[in-house]
Amino acid sequence: MSDIFIDVDGTLVDYENRLPQSAVEAIRKARQNGNKVYLCTGRSKAEIYPEIWAIGLDGMIGGNGAYVESEGKVVVHRLITLEQCKRIVDWLHRRKLEFYLESNNGLFASENFESAGNPVIKKYAAYKGRDDANDITVRKIFPDMIFDSDNLYRDDLNKVSFILNTYDDYLAAKEDFPDLKVGTWGGKGDTALFGDFGVKDLSKSRGIADLLDYLKVDRSETIAFGDSKWDIDMFNFCAVSVCVGDGSEDAKAAATFVTSAVMDDGIYNAFKKLNLI
């Protein structure tokens, strides 16, 4: 039996947020056969919407390793501290950078995130190949986002994402917050659209290791599914790794094998090839 770890965006669902029915069927059959299936994602629990939980899952690793849950039990939850949150929020305000706070209790947007974020989200959607990129808005991408600028000092944060005015904003964040993990997303190199803050030394692979320790399972039984450079870390950790056919070239190169595209039954076909179903 295997422990299976599946990235969400671009892997389980495509970048139009479509969930193929074949993936649902594959996961359900694999679990019926005694395998365990976990999400392993940058999303926080508040961003795992009901249709995904309805598939039937054994748990999740969220916030790129910050949060680990198995069968409803919290295994690990590493949080940005309240003091760190205050420093981040004040720093972003000083630099006039709009942002949102990511927690299991919700996504909390800064004062002008919606207006500043709409054109950036359109660029992100276009970069991911969405045909409807011009129609994408912050509220469509984040339907449950909370626009409450009076509630920005928090002690329940997994991550903080912020809009980059320039790549120098990322470089400054990295210099000013050595106690946190600072990254970028939404593009390659200096074309990145967002920066983010997380708990230092976290990764998807660390979250998987935490879960395996809890389950007392060897990593020789693990399989990772992903689509981007953010998944290479867990590809290198797990015994077998699978990249979807519409994934990035660097992720494909790091994977054990490449399956078909997300909406071309990528998950299902890989599960069949691996004799999980």
Side-chain angles (χ1 to χ4, degrees):
M1 298 300 102
S2 297
D3 290 274
I4 304 160
F5 301 94
I6 306 180
D7 172 56
V8 176
D9 296 291
T11 304
L12 179 62
V13 302
D14 71 0
Y15 283 102
E16 294 181 42
N17 233 13
R18 295 179 297 179
L19 172 63
Q21 185 59 33
S22 62
V24 176
E25 293 172 4
I27 291 170
R28 289 175 177 170
K29 287 179 181 177
R31 293 184 72 231
Q32 287 172 3
N33 290 339
N35 302 286
K36 293 189 174 183
V37 181
Y38 296 87
L39 304 179
C40 193
T41 176
R43 294 190 189 193
S44 292
K45 190 171 182 179
E47 299 170 85
I48 307 301
Y49 302 117
E51 72 163 341
I52 295 179
W53 284 121
I55 296 169
L57 298 161
D58 292 283
M60 70 173 291
I61 296 167
N64 287 327
Y67 177 75
V68 181
E69 174 185 310
S70 180
E71 296 179 344
K73 177 180 173 57
V74 178
V75 176
V76 171
H77 198 181
R78 299 182 179 91
L79 295 166
I80 292 172
T81 68
L82 177 60
E83 181 56 37
Q84 287 172 327
C85 175
K86 289 178 178 178
R87 286 174 47 221
I88 292 168
V89 168
D90 291 347
W91 185 89
L92 291 168
H93 278 146
R94 284 196 302 272
R95 292 184 74 93
K96 296 181 168 48
L97 300 174
E98 299 302 324
F99 59 93
Y100 63 96
L101 311 177
E102 304 179 47
S103 86
N104 286 359
N105 298 310
L107 304 183
F108 299 85
S110 63
E111 292 83 348
N112 301 304
F113 180 77
E114 184 171 14
S115 57
N118 278 332
V120 181
I121 288 295
K122 293 181 195 303
K123 286 182 184 178
Y124 179 66
Y127 173 74
K128 293 300 182 182
R130 289 185 63 154
D131 294 334
D132 61 345
N134 286 334
D135 299 323
I136 295 300
T137 65
V138 166
R139 289 184 187 254
K140 284 184 178 179
I141 293 292
F142 304 115
D144 296 331
M145 181 168 274
I146 298 163
F147 298 90
D148 178 8
S149 58
D150 293 329
N151 199 21
L152 298 178
Y153 287 163
R154 304 187 60 86
D155 62 0
D156 60 349
L157 299 186
N158 300 319
K159 291 168 55 189
V160 178
S161 287
F162 61 97
I163 297 171
L164 294 171
N165 288 341
T166 71
Y167 194 69
D168 286 341
D169 294 321
Y170 158 69
L171 298 176
K174 197 168 183 181
E175 180 176 348
D176 291 346
F177 292 88
D179 56 323
L180 292 167
K181 182 175 183 178
V182 182
T184 64
W185 58 277
K188 296 180 180 178
D190 58 10
T191 64
L193 300 175
F194 290 88
D196 62 18
F197 296 98
V199 177
K200 197 169 183 66
D201 298 327
L202 284 191
S203 64
K204 289 186 174 182
S205 66
R206 184 173 177 185
I208 293 172
D210 287 332
L211 180 59
L212 296 182
D213 286 345
Y214 169 74
L215 296 173
K216 296 180 171 47
V217 173
D218 191 82
R219 70 178 183 175
S220 63
E221 304 296 323
T222 56
I223 305 171
F225 285 79
D227 77 300
S228 74
K229 66 178 182 180
W230 306 114
D231 300 313
I232 293 174
D233 159 75
M234 69 170 176
F235 283 4
N236 292 336
F237 181 85
C238 291
V240 177
S241 54
V242 183
C243 185
V244 292
D246 35 2
S248 65
E249 292 306 313
D250 49 357
K252 289 178 182 178
T256 306
F257 71 88
V258 179
T259 186
S260 50
V262 176
M263 296 306 296
D264 191 24
D265 301 329
I267 296 290
Y268 186 92
N269 291 335
F271 274 40
K272 285 283 286 185
K273 181 172 181 174
L274 291 166
N275 295 317
L276 297 169
I277 57 177

